[in-house]
PDB file of all heavy atoms in Angstrom:
ATOM      1  N   LYS W   1       0.804  -1.218  -0.048  1.00 91.00           N
ATOM      2  CA  LYS W   1       0.005   0.018   0.060  1.00 91.00           C
ATOM      3  C   LYS W   1       0.879   1.289  -0.002  1.00 91.00           C
ATOM      4  O   LYS W   1       0.364   2.357  -0.344  1.00 91.00           O
ATOM      5  CB  LYS W   1      -0.972   0.019   1.192  1.00 91.00           C
ATOM      6  CG  LYS W   1      -1.934  -1.171   1.200  1.00 91.00           C
ATOM      7  CD  LYS W   1      -2.811  -1.006   2.486  1.00 91.00           C
ATOM      8  CE  LYS W   1      -3.832  -2.217   2.476  1.00 91.00           C
ATOM      9  NZ  LYS W   1      -4.654  -2.311   3.728  1.00 91.00           N
ATOM     10  N   ASN W   2       2.015   1.096   0.406  1.00 87.00           N
ATOM     11  CA  ASN W   2       3.086   2.224   0.401  1.00 87.00           C
ATOM     12  C   ASN W   2       4.449   1.720  -0.062  1.00 87.00           C
ATOM     13  O   ASN W   2       4.753   0.577   0.255  1.00 87.00           O
ATOM     14  CB  ASN W   2       3.205   2.844   1.797  1.00 87.00           C
ATOM     15  CG  ASN W   2       1.908   3.411   2.299  1.00 87.00           C
ATOM     16  OD1 ASN W   2       1.408   4.467   1.789  1.00 87.00           O
ATOM     17  ND2 ASN W   2       1.335   2.693   3.254  1.00 87.00           N
ATOM     18  N   PHE W   3       5.245   2.460  -0.830  1.00 84.00           N
ATOM     19  CA  PHE W   3       6.526   2.050  -1.228  1.00 84.00           C
ATOM     20  C   PHE W   3       7.465   2.189  -0.019  1.00 84.00           C
ATOM     21  O   PHE W   3       7.408   3.073   0.802  1.00 84.00           O
ATOM     22  CB  PHE W   3       7.041   2.890  -2.370  1.00 84.00           C
ATOM     23  CG  PHE W   3       6.236   2.626  -3.593  1.00 84.00           C
ATOM     24  CD1 PHE W   3       5.575   3.651  -4.378  1.00 84.00           C
ATOM     25  CD2 PHE W   3       6.138   1.385  -4.113  1.00 84.00           C
ATOM     26  CE1 PHE W   3       4.883   3.398  -5.428  1.00 84.00           C
ATOM     27  CE2 PHE W   3       5.439   1.079  -5.254  1.00 84.00           C
ATOM     28  CZ  PHE W   3       4.766   2.122  -5.933  1.00 84.00           C
ATOM     29  N   GLY W   4       8.400   1.230   0.045  1.00 85.00           N
ATOM     30  CA  GLY W   4       9.402   1.260   1.149  1.00 85.00           C
ATOM     31  C   GLY W   4      10.173  -0.013   1.082  1.00 85.00           C
ATOM     32  O   GLY W   4      10.274  -0.641   0.046  1.00 85.00           O
ATOM     33  N   GLY W   5      10.697  -0.477   2.274  1.00 87.00           N
ATOM     34  CA  GLY W   5      11.446  -1.670   2.364  1.00 87.00           C
ATOM     35  C   GLY W   5      10.520  -2.874   2.586  1.00 87.00           C
ATOM     36  O   GLY W   5       9.252  -2.744   2.355  1.00 87.00           O
ATOM     37  N   PRO W   6      11.083  -4.007   3.014  1.00 91.00           N
ATOM     38  CA  PRO W   6      10.234  -5.217   3.231  1.00 91.00           C
ATOM     39  C   PRO W   6       9.094  -4.996   4.165  1.00 91.00           C
ATOM     40  O   PRO W   6       8.054  -5.736   4.123  1.00 91.00           O
ATOM     41  CB  PRO W   6      11.331  -6.184   3.789  1.00 91.00           C
ATOM     42  CG  PRO W   6      12.608  -5.738   3.278  1.00 91.00           C
ATOM     43  CD  PRO W   6      12.483  -4.236   3.247  1.00 91.00           C
ATOM     44  N   GLU W   7       9.216  -3.971   5.036  1.00 92.00           N
ATOM     45  CA  GLU W   7       8.139  -3.787   6.021  1.00 92.00           C
ATOM     46  C   GLU W   7       6.791  -3.333   5.380  1.00 92.00           C
ATOM     47  O   GLU W   7       5.702  -3.469   6.032  1.00 92.00           O
ATOM     48  CB  GLU W   7       8.486  -2.709   7.012  1.00 92.00           C
ATOM     49  CG  GLU W   7       8.580  -1.262   6.509  1.00 92.00           C
ATOM     50  CD  GLU W   7       9.756  -0.915   5.697  1.00 92.00           C
ATOM     51  OE1 GLU W   7      10.660  -1.716   5.607  1.00 92.00           O
ATOM     52  OE2 GLU W   7       9.768   0.210   5.074  1.00 92.00           O
ATOM     53  N   VAL W   8       6.770  -2.926   4.082  1.00 92.00           N
ATOM     54  CA  VAL W   8       5.499  -2.464   3.378  1.00 92.00           C
ATOM     55  C   VAL W   8       4.807  -3.753   2.911  1.00 92.00           C
ATOM     56  O   VAL W   8       3.683  -3.579   2.396  1.00 92.00           O
ATOM     57  CB  VAL W   8       5.784  -1.470   2.364  1.00 92.00           C
ATOM     58  CG1 VAL W   8       6.522  -0.268   2.893  1.00 92.00           C
ATOM     59  CG2 VAL W   8       6.524  -2.096   1.148  1.00 92.00           C
ATOM     60  N   LEU W   9       5.349  -4.863   2.898  1.00 95.00           N
ATOM     61  CA  LEU W   9       4.715  -6.087   2.434  1.00 95.00           C
ATOM     62  C   LEU W   9       3.754  -6.617   3.472  1.00 95.00           C
ATOM     63  O   LEU W   9       4.137  -7.005   4.571  1.00 95.00           O
ATOM     64  CB  LEU W   9       5.776  -7.188   2.086  1.00 95.00           C
ATOM     65  CG  LEU W   9       6.738  -6.839   0.965  1.00 95.00           C
ATOM     66  CD1 LEU W   9       8.000  -7.768   1.031  1.00 95.00           C
ATOM     67  CD2 LEU W   9       6.103  -6.856  -0.374  1.00 95.00           C
ATOM     68  N   GLU W  10       2.454  -6.551   3.131  1.00 95.00           N
ATOM     69  CA  GLU W  10       1.438  -6.926   4.162  1.00 95.00           C
ATOM     70  C   GLU W  10       0.568  -8.094   3.663  1.00 95.00           C
ATOM     71  O   GLU W  10       0.186  -8.109   2.480  1.00 95.00           O
ATOM     72  CB  GLU W  10       0.473  -5.712   4.406  1.00 95.00           C
ATOM     73  CG  GLU W  10       1.251  -4.498   5.008  1.00 95.00           C
ATOM     74  CD  GLU W  10       0.240  -3.330   5.163  1.00 95.00           C
ATOM     75  OE1 GLU W  10      -0.914  -3.529   4.895  1.00 95.00           O
ATOM     76  OE2 GLU W  10       0.826  -2.253   5.648  1.00 95.00           O
ATOM     77  N   LEU W  11       0.319  -9.022   4.562  1.00 96.00           N
ATOM     78  CA  LEU W  11      -0.628 -10.134   4.275  1.00 96.00           C
ATOM     79  C   LEU W  11      -2.077  -9.579   4.371  1.00 96.00           C
ATOM     80  O   LEU W  11      -2.413  -8.940   5.325  1.00 96.00           O
ATOM     81  CB  LEU W  11      -0.456 -11.252   5.184  1.00 96.00           C
ATOM     82  CG  LEU W  11      -1.226 -12.558   4.881  1.00 96.00           C
ATOM     83  CD1 LEU W  11      -0.831 -13.091   3.552  1.00 96.00           C
ATOM     84  CD2 LEU W  11      -0.935 -13.633   5.967  1.00 96.00           C
ATOM     85  N   ALA W  12      -2.816  -9.762   3.304  1.00 95.00           N
ATOM     86  CA  ALA W  12      -4.204  -9.160   3.219  1.00 95.00           C
ATOM     87  C   ALA W  12      -5.133 -10.120   2.618  1.00 95.00           C
ATOM     88  O   ALA W  12      -4.771 -11.094   2.004  1.00 95.00           O
ATOM     89  CB  ALA W  12      -4.164  -7.799   2.439  1.00 95.00           C
ATOM     90  N   GLU W  13      -6.455  -9.842   2.886  1.00 96.00           N
ATOM     91  CA  GLU W  13      -7.511 -10.515   2.157  1.00 96.00           C
ATOM     92  C   GLU W  13      -8.138  -9.657   1.169  1.00 96.00           C
ATOM     93  O   GLU W  13      -8.554  -8.525   1.436  1.00 96.00           O
ATOM     94  CB  GLU W  13      -8.565 -10.997   3.180  1.00 96.00           C
ATOM     95  CG  GLU W  13      -9.689 -11.901   2.598  1.00 96.00           C
ATOM     96  CD  GLU W  13     -10.548 -12.524   3.671  1.00 96.00           C
ATOM     97  OE1 GLU W  13     -10.185 -13.463   4.293  1.00 96.00           O
ATOM     98  OE2 GLU W  13     -11.721 -11.981   3.781  1.00 96.00           O
ATOM     99  N   VAL W  14      -8.037 -10.034  -0.094  1.00 96.00           N
ATOM    100  CA  VAL W  14      -8.459  -9.293  -1.264  1.00 96.00           C
ATOM    101  C   VAL W  14      -9.472 -10.038  -2.089  1.00 96.00           C
ATOM    102  O   VAL W  14      -9.548 -11.246  -1.945  1.00 96.00           O
ATOM    103  CB  VAL W  14      -7.297  -8.733  -2.093  1.00 96.00           C
ATOM    104  CG1 VAL W  14      -6.337  -7.951  -1.224  1.00 96.00           C
ATOM    105  CG2 VAL W  14      -6.611  -9.967  -2.703  1.00 96.00           C
ATOM    106  N   ALA W  15     -10.179  -9.374  -2.946  1.00 95.00           N
ATOM    107  CA  ALA W  15     -11.155 -10.005  -3.845  1.00 95.00           C
ATOM    108  C   ALA W  15     -10.381 -10.845  -4.844  1.00 95.00           C
ATOM    109  O   ALA W  15      -9.328 -10.521  -5.317  1.00 95.00           O
ATOM    110  CB  ALA W  15     -11.990  -8.930  -4.563  1.00 95.00           C
ATOM    111  N   ASP W  16     -11.071 -11.915  -5.128  1.00 95.00           N
ATOM    112  CA  ASP W  16     -10.496 -12.779  -6.307  1.00 95.00           C
ATOM    113  C   ASP W  16     -10.340 -11.950  -7.581  1.00 95.00           C
ATOM    114  O   ASP W  16     -11.258 -11.212  -7.834  1.00 95.00           O
ATOM    115  CB  ASP W  16     -11.401 -14.006  -6.499  1.00 95.00           C
ATOM    116  CG  ASP W  16     -11.129 -15.167  -5.587  1.00 95.00           C
ATOM    117  OD1 ASP W  16     -10.057 -15.106  -4.938  1.00 95.00           O
ATOM    118  OD2 ASP W  16     -11.834 -16.137  -5.626  1.00 95.00           O
ATOM    119  N   PRO W  17      -9.360 -12.238  -8.325  1.00 95.00           N
ATOM    120  CA  PRO W  17      -9.176 -11.572  -9.637  1.00 95.00           C
ATOM    121  C   PRO W  17     -10.268 -12.114 -10.601  1.00 95.00           C
ATOM    122  O   PRO W  17     -10.684 -13.293 -10.515  1.00 95.00           O
ATOM    123  CB  PRO W  17      -7.832 -11.971 -10.177  1.00 95.00           C
ATOM    124  CG  PRO W  17      -7.530 -13.205  -9.436  1.00 95.00           C
ATOM    125  CD  PRO W  17      -8.206 -13.114  -8.102  1.00 95.00           C
ATOM    126  N   LEU W  18     -10.815 -11.184 -11.430  1.00 94.00           N
ATOM    127  CA  LEU W  18     -11.842 -11.594 -12.423  1.00 94.00           C
ATOM    128  C   LEU W  18     -11.105 -11.628 -13.786  1.00 94.00           C
ATOM    129  O   LEU W  18     -10.702 -10.595 -14.367  1.00 94.00           O
ATOM    130  CB  LEU W  18     -12.956 -10.549 -12.451  1.00 94.00           C
ATOM    131  CG  LEU W  18     -13.844 -10.450 -11.168  1.00 94.00           C
ATOM    132  CD1 LEU W  18     -14.807  -9.298 -11.253  1.00 94.00           C
ATOM    133  CD2 LEU W  18     -14.464 -11.777 -10.885  1.00 94.00           C
ATOM    134  N   PRO W  19     -10.979 -12.830 -14.369  1.00 95.00           N
ATOM    135  CA  PRO W  19     -10.301 -12.942 -15.646  1.00 95.00           C
ATOM    136  C   PRO W  19     -11.066 -12.067 -16.741  1.00 95.00           C
ATOM    137  O   PRO W  19     -12.297 -12.207 -16.914  1.00 95.00           O
ATOM    138  CB  PRO W  19     -10.315 -14.409 -15.974  1.00 95.00           C
ATOM    139  CG  PRO W  19     -10.540 -15.141 -14.623  1.00 95.00           C
ATOM    140  CD  PRO W  19     -11.368 -14.101 -13.817  1.00 95.00           C
ATOM    141  N   ALA W  20     -10.277 -11.351 -17.497  1.00 95.00           N
ATOM    142  CA  ALA W  20     -10.869 -10.628 -18.654  1.00 95.00           C
ATOM    143  C   ALA W  20     -10.892 -11.578 -19.835  1.00 95.00           C
ATOM    144  O   ALA W  20     -10.360 -12.672 -19.750  1.00 95.00           O
ATOM    145  CB  ALA W  20      -9.918  -9.478 -18.955  1.00 95.00           C
ATOM    146  N   PRO W  21     -11.559 -11.162 -20.858  1.00 96.00           N
ATOM    147  CA  PRO W  21     -11.538 -12.059 -22.106  1.00 96.00           C
ATOM    148  C   PRO W  21     -10.137 -12.355 -22.567  1.00 96.00           C
ATOM    149  O   PRO W  21      -9.316 -11.493 -22.499  1.00 96.00           O
ATOM    150  CB  PRO W  21     -12.257 -11.185 -23.078  1.00 96.00           C
ATOM    151  CG  PRO W  21     -13.135 -10.303 -22.299  1.00 96.00           C
ATOM    152  CD  PRO W  21     -12.396  -9.931 -21.094  1.00 96.00           C
ATOM    153  N   GLY W  22      -9.935 -13.704 -22.820  1.00 94.00           N
ATOM    154  CA  GLY W  22      -8.595 -14.082 -23.180  1.00 94.00           C
ATOM    155  C   GLY W  22      -7.670 -14.508 -22.091  1.00 94.00           C
ATOM    156  O   GLY W  22      -6.488 -14.862 -22.187  1.00 94.00           O
ATOM    157  N   GLU W  23      -8.178 -14.381 -20.809  1.00 96.00           N
ATOM    158  CA  GLU W  23      -7.417 -14.758 -19.619  1.00 96.00           C
ATOM    159  C   GLU W  23      -7.912 -15.957 -18.944  1.00 96.00           C
ATOM    160  O   GLU W  23      -9.164 -16.317 -19.137  1.00 96.00           O
ATOM    161  CB  GLU W  23      -7.414 -13.590 -18.617  1.00 96.00           C
ATOM    162  CG  GLU W  23      -6.647 -12.382 -19.010  1.00 96.00           C
ATOM    163  CD  GLU W  23      -6.606 -11.294 -17.923  1.00 96.00           C
ATOM    164  OE1 GLU W  23      -7.545 -11.293 -17.033  1.00 96.00           O
ATOM    165  OE2 GLU W  23      -5.707 -10.488 -17.944  1.00 96.00           O
ATOM    166  N   VAL W  24      -7.097 -16.710 -18.203  1.00 96.00           N
ATOM    167  CA  VAL W  24      -7.514 -17.803 -17.399  1.00 96.00           C
ATOM    168  C   VAL W  24      -7.142 -17.583 -15.975  1.00 96.00           C
ATOM    169  O   VAL W  24      -6.200 -16.933 -15.697  1.00 96.00           O
ATOM    170  CB  VAL W  24      -6.911 -19.093 -17.919  1.00 96.00           C
ATOM    171  CG1 VAL W  24      -7.357 -19.474 -19.378  1.00 96.00           C
ATOM    172  CG2 VAL W  24      -5.284 -19.027 -17.908  1.00 96.00           C
ATOM    173  N   LEU W  25      -7.986 -18.145 -15.099  1.00 97.00           N
ATOM    174  CA  LEU W  25      -7.683 -18.064 -13.638  1.00 97.00           C
ATOM    175  C   LEU W  25      -6.893 -19.260 -13.205  1.00 97.00           C
ATOM    176  O   LEU W  25      -7.152 -20.337 -13.506  1.00 97.00           O
ATOM    177  CB  LEU W  25      -9.034 -18.059 -12.857  1.00 97.00           C
ATOM    178  CG  LEU W  25      -8.901 -17.682 -11.360  1.00 97.00           C
ATOM    179  CD1 LEU W  25      -8.402 -16.263 -11.129  1.00 97.00           C
ATOM    180  CD2 LEU W  25     -10.255 -17.894 -10.630  1.00 97.00           C
ATOM    181  N   VAL W  26      -5.762 -19.007 -12.547  1.00 98.00           N
ATOM    182  CA  VAL W  26      -4.817 -19.980 -12.168  1.00 98.00           C
ATOM    183  C   VAL W  26      -4.834 -20.026 -10.574  1.00 98.00           C
ATOM    184  O   VAL W  26      -4.620 -19.096  -9.888  1.00 98.00           O
ATOM    185  CB  VAL W  26      -3.354 -19.697 -12.636  1.00 98.00           C
ATOM    186  CG1 VAL W  26      -2.376 -20.740 -12.022  1.00 98.00           C
ATOM    187  CG2 VAL W  26      -3.303 -19.750 -14.141  1.00 98.00           C
ATOM    188  N   GLU W  27      -5.110 -21.245 -10.076  1.00 98.00           N
ATOM    189  CA  GLU W  27      -4.945 -21.544  -8.633  1.00 98.00           C
ATOM    190  C   GLU W  27      -3.445 -21.778  -8.380  1.00 98.00           C
ATOM    191  O   GLU W  27      -2.873 -22.734  -8.826  1.00 98.00           O
ATOM    192  CB  GLU W  27      -5.763 -22.770  -8.255  1.00 98.00           C
ATOM    193  CG  GLU W  27      -5.892 -23.031  -6.732  1.00 98.00           C
ATOM    194  CD  GLU W  27      -6.918 -22.135  -6.078  1.00 98.00           C
ATOM    195  OE1 GLU W  27      -7.844 -21.670  -6.801  1.00 98.00           O
ATOM    196  OE2 GLU W  27      -6.762 -21.925  -4.852  1.00 98.00           O
ATOM    197  N   VAL W  28      -2.812 -20.812  -7.628  1.00 98.00           N
ATOM    198  CA  VAL W  28      -1.390 -20.843  -7.555  1.00 98.00           C
ATOM    199  C   VAL W  28      -0.854 -21.850  -6.513  1.00 98.00           C
ATOM    200  O   VAL W  28      -1.362 -21.871  -5.353  1.00 98.00           O
ATOM    201  CB  VAL W  28      -0.883 -19.371  -7.122  1.00 98.00           C
ATOM    202  CG1 VAL W  28       0.618 -19.393  -6.905  1.00 98.00           C
ATOM    203  CG2 VAL W  28      -1.386 -18.357  -8.131  1.00 98.00           C
ATOM    204  N   SER W  29       0.023 -22.699  -6.905  1.00 98.00           N
ATOM    205  CA  SER W  29       0.632 -23.617  -5.969  1.00 98.00           C
ATOM    206  C   SER W  29       1.949 -23.113  -5.453  1.00 98.00           C
ATOM    207  O   SER W  29       2.299 -23.276  -4.301  1.00 98.00           O
ATOM    208  CB  SER W  29       0.851 -24.961  -6.633  1.00 98.00           C
ATOM    209  OG  SER W  29       1.683 -24.825  -7.728  1.00 98.00           O
ATOM    210  N   LEU W  30       2.648 -22.321  -6.285  1.00 98.00           N
ATOM    211  CA  LEU W  30       3.952 -21.664  -5.862  1.00 98.00           C
ATOM    212  C   LEU W  30       4.079 -20.347  -6.639  1.00 98.00           C
ATOM    213  O   LEU W  30       3.691 -20.267  -7.808  1.00 98.00           O
ATOM    214  CB  LEU W  30       5.135 -22.560  -6.206  1.00 98.00           C
ATOM    215  CG  LEU W  30       5.365 -23.819  -5.399  1.00 98.00           C
ATOM    216  CD1 LEU W  30       6.504 -24.583  -5.927  1.00 98.00           C
ATOM    217  CD2 LEU W  30       5.621 -23.523  -3.885  1.00 98.00           C
ATOM    218  N   ALA W  31       4.541 -19.330  -5.923  1.00 98.00           N
ATOM    219  CA  ALA W  31       4.839 -18.006  -6.607  1.00 98.00           C
ATOM    220  C   ALA W  31       6.296 -17.774  -6.430  1.00 98.00           C
ATOM    221  O   ALA W  31       6.843 -17.906  -5.319  1.00 98.00           O
ATOM    222  CB  ALA W  31       4.044 -16.959  -5.874  1.00 98.00           C
ATOM    223  N   GLY W  32       6.997 -17.368  -7.478  1.00 97.00           N
ATOM    224  CA  GLY W  32       8.363 -17.105  -7.484  1.00 97.00           C
ATOM    225  C   GLY W  32       8.716 -15.804  -6.848  1.00 97.00           C
ATOM    226  O   GLY W  32       7.916 -14.807  -7.000  1.00 97.00           O
ATOM    227  N   VAL W  33       9.832 -15.757  -6.149  1.00 95.00           N
ATOM    228  CA  VAL W  33      10.402 -14.405  -5.580  1.00 95.00           C
ATOM    229  C   VAL W  33      11.695 -14.130  -6.289  1.00 95.00           C
ATOM    230  O   VAL W  33      12.582 -14.992  -6.332  1.00 95.00           O
ATOM    231  CB  VAL W  33      10.578 -14.620  -4.058  1.00 95.00           C
ATOM    232  CG1 VAL W  33      11.214 -13.351  -3.513  1.00 95.00           C
ATOM    233  CG2 VAL W  33       9.328 -14.970  -3.355  1.00 95.00           C
ATOM    234  N   ASN W  34      11.778 -12.977  -6.912  1.00 89.00           N
ATOM    235  CA  ASN W  34      12.859 -12.585  -7.653  1.00 89.00           C
ATOM    236  C   ASN W  34      13.476 -11.281  -7.109  1.00 89.00           C
ATOM    237  O   ASN W  34      12.826 -10.466  -6.433  1.00 89.00           O
ATOM    238  CB  ASN W  34      12.507 -12.351  -9.115  1.00 89.00           C
ATOM    239  CG  ASN W  34      12.061 -13.624  -9.756  1.00 89.00           C
ATOM    240  OD1 ASN W  34      12.885 -14.473 -10.131  1.00 89.00           O
ATOM    241  ND2 ASN W  34      10.803 -13.839  -9.977  1.00 89.00           N
ATOM    242  N   TYR W  35      14.749 -11.026  -7.467  1.00 84.00           N
ATOM    243  CA  TYR W  35      15.382  -9.777  -6.982  1.00 84.00           C
ATOM    244  C   TYR W  35      14.676  -8.583  -7.508  1.00 84.00           C
ATOM    245  O   TYR W  35      14.596  -7.525  -6.798  1.00 84.00           O
ATOM    246  CB  TYR W  35      16.837  -9.748  -7.548  1.00 84.00           C
ATOM    247  CG  TYR W  35      17.669  -8.816  -6.823  1.00 84.00           C
ATOM    248  CD1 TYR W  35      18.229  -9.056  -5.615  1.00 84.00           C
ATOM    249  CD2 TYR W  35      17.992  -7.499  -7.346  1.00 84.00           C
ATOM    250  CE1 TYR W  35      19.015  -8.125  -4.892  1.00 84.00           C
ATOM    251  CE2 TYR W  35      18.771  -6.617  -6.748  1.00 84.00           C
ATOM    252  CZ  TYR W  35      19.332  -6.887  -5.478  1.00 84.00           C
ATOM    253  OH  TYR W  35      20.054  -5.951  -4.872  1.00 84.00           O
ATOM    254  N   ARG W  36      14.082  -8.697  -8.671  1.00 81.00           N
ATOM    255  CA  ARG W  36      13.338  -7.507  -9.152  1.00 81.00           C
ATOM    256  C   ARG W  36      12.154  -7.135  -8.250  1.00 81.00           C
ATOM    257  O   ARG W  36      11.790  -5.937  -8.235  1.00 81.00           O
ATOM    258  CB  ARG W  36      12.843  -7.816 -10.570  1.00 81.00           C
ATOM    259  CG  ARG W  36      12.097  -6.646 -11.205  1.00 81.00           C
ATOM    260  CD  ARG W  36      11.699  -6.932 -12.658  1.00 81.00           C
ATOM    261  NE  ARG W  36      10.855  -5.924 -13.178  1.00 81.00           N
ATOM    262  CZ  ARG W  36      10.455  -5.795 -14.434  1.00 81.00           C
ATOM    263  NH1 ARG W  36      10.877  -6.775 -15.272  1.00 81.00           N
ATOM    264  NH2 ARG W  36       9.784  -4.856 -14.883  1.00 81.00           N
ATOM    265  N   ASP W  37      11.602  -8.078  -7.535  1.00 85.00           N
ATOM    266  CA  ASP W  37      10.486  -7.773  -6.651  1.00 85.00           C
ATOM    267  C   ASP W  37      10.889  -6.842  -5.582  1.00 85.00           C
ATOM    268  O   ASP W  37      10.070  -5.993  -5.145  1.00 85.00           O
ATOM    269  CB  ASP W  37      10.003  -9.101  -6.012  1.00 85.00           C
ATOM    270  CG  ASP W  37       9.397 -10.079  -7.046  1.00 85.00           C
ATOM    271  OD1 ASP W  37       9.090  -9.631  -8.233  1.00 85.00           O
ATOM    272  OD2 ASP W  37       9.237 -11.274  -6.686  1.00 85.00           O
ATOM    273  N   THR W  38      12.128  -6.934  -5.104  1.00 81.00           N
ATOM    274  CA  THR W  38      12.571  -5.976  -4.054  1.00 81.00           C
ATOM    275  C   THR W  38      12.671  -4.585  -4.535  1.00 81.00           C
ATOM    276  O   THR W  38      12.413  -3.621  -3.835  1.00 81.00           O
ATOM    277  CB  THR W  38      13.984  -6.468  -3.496  1.00 81.00           C
ATOM    278  OG1 THR W  38      14.932  -6.245  -4.506  1.00 81.00           O
ATOM    279  CG2 THR W  38      13.958  -7.846  -3.044  1.00 81.00           C
ATOM    280  N   HIS W  39      13.012  -4.399  -5.816  1.00 74.00           N
ATOM    281  CA  HIS W  39      13.024  -3.047  -6.401  1.00 74.00           C
ATOM    282  C   HIS W  39      11.576  -2.456  -6.478  1.00 74.00           C
ATOM    283  O   HIS W  39      11.321  -1.359  -6.263  1.00 74.00           O
ATOM    284  CB  HIS W  39      13.587  -3.087  -7.822  1.00 74.00           C
ATOM    285  CG  HIS W  39      15.099  -3.218  -7.891  1.00 74.00           C
ATOM    286  ND1 HIS W  39      15.901  -2.176  -7.643  1.00 74.00           N
ATOM    287  CD2 HIS W  39      15.839  -4.302  -8.065  1.00 74.00           C
ATOM    288  CE1 HIS W  39      17.144  -2.540  -7.707  1.00 74.00           C
ATOM    289  NE2 HIS W  39      17.149  -3.831  -8.001  1.00 74.00           N
ATOM    290  N   LEU W  40      10.602  -3.341  -6.834  1.00 71.00           N
ATOM    291  CA  LEU W  40       9.292  -2.914  -6.937  1.00 71.00           C
ATOM    292  C   LEU W  40       8.708  -2.397  -5.664  1.00 71.00           C
ATOM    293  O   LEU W  40       8.069  -1.292  -5.615  1.00 71.00           O
ATOM    294  CB  LEU W  40       8.396  -4.107  -7.454  1.00 71.00           C
ATOM    295  CG  LEU W  40       6.908  -3.819  -7.559  1.00 71.00           C
ATOM    296  CD1 LEU W  40       6.624  -2.729  -8.584  1.00 71.00           C
ATOM    297  CD2 LEU W  40       6.114  -5.138  -8.016  1.00 71.00           C
ATOM    298  N   SER W  41       8.957  -3.050  -4.555  1.00 65.00           N
ATOM    299  CA  SER W  41       8.441  -2.643  -3.327  1.00 65.00           C
ATOM    300  C   SER W  41       9.169  -1.409  -2.682  1.00 65.00           C
ATOM    301  O   SER W  41       8.643  -0.528  -2.046  1.00 65.00           O
ATOM    302  CB  SER W  41       8.497  -3.795  -2.233  1.00 65.00           C
ATOM    303  OG  SER W  41       9.821  -4.130  -1.956  1.00 65.00           O
ATOM    304  N   GLU W  42      10.420  -1.312  -3.046  1.00 64.00           N
ATOM    305  CA  GLU W  42      11.278  -0.259  -2.408  1.00 64.00           C
ATOM    306  C   GLU W  42      11.171   1.111  -3.145  1.00 64.00           C
ATOM    307  O   GLU W  42      11.144   2.058  -2.484  1.00 64.00           O
ATOM    308  CB  GLU W  42      12.778  -0.679  -2.461  1.00 64.00           C
ATOM    309  CG  GLU W  42      13.031  -1.806  -1.456  1.00 64.00           C
ATOM    310  CD  GLU W  42      14.470  -2.186  -1.466  1.00 64.00           C
ATOM    311  OE1 GLU W  42      15.291  -1.587  -2.130  1.00 64.00           O
ATOM    312  OE2 GLU W  42      14.835  -3.166  -0.842  1.00 64.00           O
ATOM    313  N   VAL W  43      11.100   1.091  -4.396  1.00 58.00           N
ATOM    314  CA  VAL W  43      11.080   2.357  -5.099  1.00 58.00           C
ATOM    315  C   VAL W  43       9.892   2.555  -6.084  1.00 58.00           C
ATOM    316  O   VAL W  43       9.644   3.723  -6.358  1.00 58.00           O
ATOM    317  CB  VAL W  43      12.382   2.583  -5.873  1.00 58.00           C
ATOM    318  CG1 VAL W  43      13.590   2.604  -4.976  1.00 58.00           C
ATOM    319  CG2 VAL W  43      12.575   1.425  -6.896  1.00 58.00           C
ATOM    320  N   GLY W  44       9.272   1.532  -6.389  1.00 51.00           N
ATOM    321  CA  GLY W  44       8.070   1.621  -7.308  1.00 51.00           C
ATOM    322  C   GLY W  44       8.421   2.314  -8.673  1.00 51.00           C
ATOM    323  O   GLY W  44       7.584   3.183  -9.162  1.00 51.00           O
ATOM    324  N   THR W  45       9.468   1.877  -9.229  1.00 50.00           N
ATOM    325  CA  THR W  45       9.875   2.513 -10.471  1.00 50.00           C
ATOM    326  C   THR W  45       9.480   1.826 -11.737  1.00 50.00           C
ATOM    327  O   THR W  45       9.644   2.277 -12.836  1.00 50.00           O
ATOM    328  CB  THR W  45      11.456   2.675 -10.562  1.00 50.00           C
ATOM    329  OG1 THR W  45      12.024   1.315 -10.443  1.00 50.00           O
ATOM    330  CG2 THR W  45      11.961   3.539  -9.437  1.00 50.00           C
ATOM    331  N   LEU W  46       8.781   0.633 -11.597  1.00 51.00           N
ATOM    332  CA  LEU W  46       8.393  -0.036 -12.707  1.00 51.00           C
ATOM    333  C   LEU W  46       7.137   0.577 -13.378  1.00 51.00           C
ATOM    334  O   LEU W  46       6.341   1.068 -12.666  1.00 51.00           O
ATOM    335  CB  LEU W  46       8.104  -1.574 -12.485  1.00 51.00           C
ATOM    336  CG  LEU W  46       9.374  -2.274 -11.806  1.00 51.00           C
ATOM    337  CD1 LEU W  46       9.022  -3.741 -11.652  1.00 51.00           C
ATOM    338  CD2 LEU W  46      10.514  -2.177 -12.747  1.00 51.00           C
TER     339      LEU W  46
END
């Protein structure tokens, strides 16, 4: 909800995504964590 360090990562309950035309809904078994993700939360430059 706010840019910053790892402390801004919050566990939340949110609405299920609604697939748009041409999309499929995937029940996630594993989500990858990449170095780029740390840039996204810290500076929000993407």
